[in-house]
Amino acid sequence: MIDLRSDTVTKPDDTMRRLMAEAIVGDDVYEEDPTVNELERYAAELLGKEAALFTTSGTQGNQAAVLTHTRPGQEIVMDNEAHVYIYEGAAISAFAGVQPRVLPHEAGVVDLDAMEAAIRPEDVHYPETGLIWLENTHNRGGGSVLPFSYLTGVRALADEYGIPVHMDGARLFNAAEATGRQPAAIAAFADSVQFCLSKGLGAPVGSMLAGTKEFIQTARKKRKMLGGGLRQAGVIAAPGLYALQERRGRLKEDHDHAKRLAHVIMNDTDLTIRHDVETNIIVADTDTSSRSAAEWVKALHEEGAAVIQYKPEAVRFTTNADVSPDDIDTVVSILQKLGADR
Ligand SMILES: *Cc1c(COP(=O)(O)O)cnc(C)c1O
C-alpha cells in the first residue's frame, strides 16, 4: 500500500533506529538528558529563539503554549479551520479555560480588518483577547504557506494591541522550503512556535516548542502538568535531532511529488483542486466528480493507494518521506486508470 493519508505515517529508518539504540540519556525532568538538551538547543538556534522544549506531540506543544500565554476566561483569535480548533479535542477550553474566536479564512489567511475587529476592547462583559493564532503551513487550506505580507500585518496588529502570537508551525519547514526563507525568518513573526518532528521530517515521535527563555521555563511546567515530563527521553529525541539536522532538505522532494500528483489529478480525473499546491498536501474536491469522497478512498485503496476523506466532499493526498518517486509513478497510473473509467 502506498500510504498518502498523512506525513505522520512514516517509519523510522535504520539510521534513526541505530541512533535510538545508541542515544546518551539522562533524566530529562532533571534536565539531565544530553540528547534532549542538544535537540532543544539546536531547535532554538534554528528558529532564532532563546529556548526550546521537546514535547511528545504537536498537540502537547500547542497546549503548553496556550497554558503559558493565556489565563482562564480569555479568548484566542484564530481561523475557523485551525488544527487547534478542529483536531485537539477542545483542549484549549478543557485545560486552559479559554475560548476560540474563529474567523473565516482563505488558505489560512484571515482578513486583517476582521482580525482587528475581533480583538476585544476593555468591557466588563467581554473576555480578553489573550493570544493570536497562526497555522503555517495551513493544513485544511491545502498545505498553504502564509504570505510574508500577512505575517507582517498580523505582527503589526499584535504589537499595536500588545497581544502575543503563537504559530502552529507543525509544518514550518515545509513553509521554509516552499518560500526559500530561513525557518528563523518565519518564526520571527511569532512569540512562540510549535513544529513537528514526526511529520515531513520523518521522526517517529515528537514536536518542539520555541520561545523566550522565560516562556519556555513556564511551558516546561505546563508540559509536566500535561504529563509530558519524560525521563530518559533521549531515545526518542535522538531520531528527532537527526531528522531536524539531516532531513529538512528532503521536503522539496515531497513538494515536487505533490505538484506532480496535482497535475495528474487536475488533468486526468474529474476531481478539482481549488488551492495552490505549494507544499506536500493536496485537498482534492469531489463535488465535480462522478465518485463521492468515500468512493474515491475505496477505489484508490483497491488499487493500492491510501488517502483520507478530509471533508464531506474532499479527499486528501499527503506526500511523505516513505513515498518514493517510483511510488508516485504508480499513483499517477492509478489516478489515470480511475480517471478513465468513471
Ligand atoms: C499534526 C498537526 C498538529 C498536531 O500534531 P500531533 O503531533 O499530531 O499532535 C498541530 N497542528 C497542525 C497544523 C498539524 O498538522
Side-chain angles (χ1 to χ4, degrees), residues 7-8 56-60 62 83-84 88 135-139 168-171 194 196 198-199 206-207 316:
D7 47 8
T8 57
T56 57
S57 66
T59 299
Q60 189 179 63
N62 281 344
H83 187 282
V84 73
E88 298 186 20
E135 184 173 311
N136 195 18
T137 64
H138 196 277
N139 193 343
D168 177 354
R171 298 187 178 86
Q194 179 276 121
C196 291
S198 58
K199 290 191 170 163
S207 278
R316 190 184 76 171

Side-chain angles (χ1 to χ4, degrees), residues 75-297:
E75 194 168 68
I76 306 178
V77 175
M78 62 180 70
D79 75 84
N80 64 9
E81 288 191 303
H83 187 282
V84 73
Y85 180 54
I86 298 191
Y87 296 115
E88 298 186 20
I92 63 165
S93 303
F95 300 157
V98 300
Q99 69 182 11
R101 178 78 181 276
V102 299
L103 300 168
H105 75 100
E106 193 70 50
V109 172
V110 169
D111 178 72
L112 283 176
D113 292 333
M115 185 178 278
E116 183 166 17
I119 295 172
R120 302 281 195 170
E122 181 46 40
D123 183 298
V124 71
H125 300 88
Y126 293 159
E128 290 161 8
T129 305
L131 186 61
I132 296 173
W133 196 271
L134 298 173
E135 184 173 311
N136 195 18
T137 64
H138 196 277
N139 193 343
R140 302 262 302 183
S144 41
V145 180
L146 300 184
F148 258 50
S149 56
Y150 177 63
L151 296 174
T152 306
V154 170
R155 186 69 252 176
L157 263 188
D159 289 342
E160 187 181 340
Y161 289 89
I163 301 168
V165 176
H166 175 73
M167 185 182 287
D168 177 354
R171 298 187 178 86
L172 177 75
F173 299 105
N174 295 87
E177 169 57 44
T179 55
R181 307 262 187 172
Q182 290 301 319
I186 302 172
F189 292 100
D191 298 274
S192 58
V193 180
Q194 179 276 121
F195 70 81
C196 291
L197 299 162
S198 58
K199 290 191 170 163
L201 300 175
V205 186
S207 278
M208 304 303 297
L209 176 63
T212 64
K213 238 184 194 138
E214 197 187 348
F215 174 86
I216 291 299
Q217 210 168 359
T218 307
R220 188 177 291 280
K221 204 158 175 164
K222 304 302 183 186
R223 183 190 67 174
K224 189 80 176 73
M225 290 166 66
L226 293 168
L230 303 180
R231 302 300 178 173
Q232 286 70 38
V235 292
I236 51 173
L241 178 59
Y242 167 78
L244 192 53
Q245 288 175 332
E246 304 299 332
R247 303 188 77 186
R248 300 202 306 277
R250 61 154 309 282
L251 294 172
K252 185 179 186 313
E253 189 179 338
D254 290 351
H255 298 180
D256 291 345
H257 285 169
K259 286 190 177 79
R260 199 160 154 234
L261 288 182
H263 184 79
V264 174
I265 289 167
M266 286 300 284
N267 288 292
D268 299 338
T269 77
D270 56 7
L271 293 164
T272 304
I273 302 167
R274 293 191 172 91
H275 65 89
D276 292 339
V277 178
E278 299 175 273
T279 59
N280 66 329
I281 294 175
I282 301 168
V283 178
D285 295 330
T286 57
D287 58 324
T288 50
S289 174
S290 59
R291 289 187 187 87
S292 68
E295 285 166 350
W296 267 105
V297 172

Side-chain angles (χ1 to χ4, degrees), residues 39-67:
L39 172 59
E40 291 179 344
R41 189 203 62 74
Y42 183 80
E45 183 183 279
L46 188 61
L47 263 59
K49 302 291 186 200
E50 285 175 11
L53 184 70
F54 182 49
T55 62
T56 57
S57 66
T59 299
Q60 189 179 63
N62 281 344
Q63 295 306 320
V66 171
L67 285 163

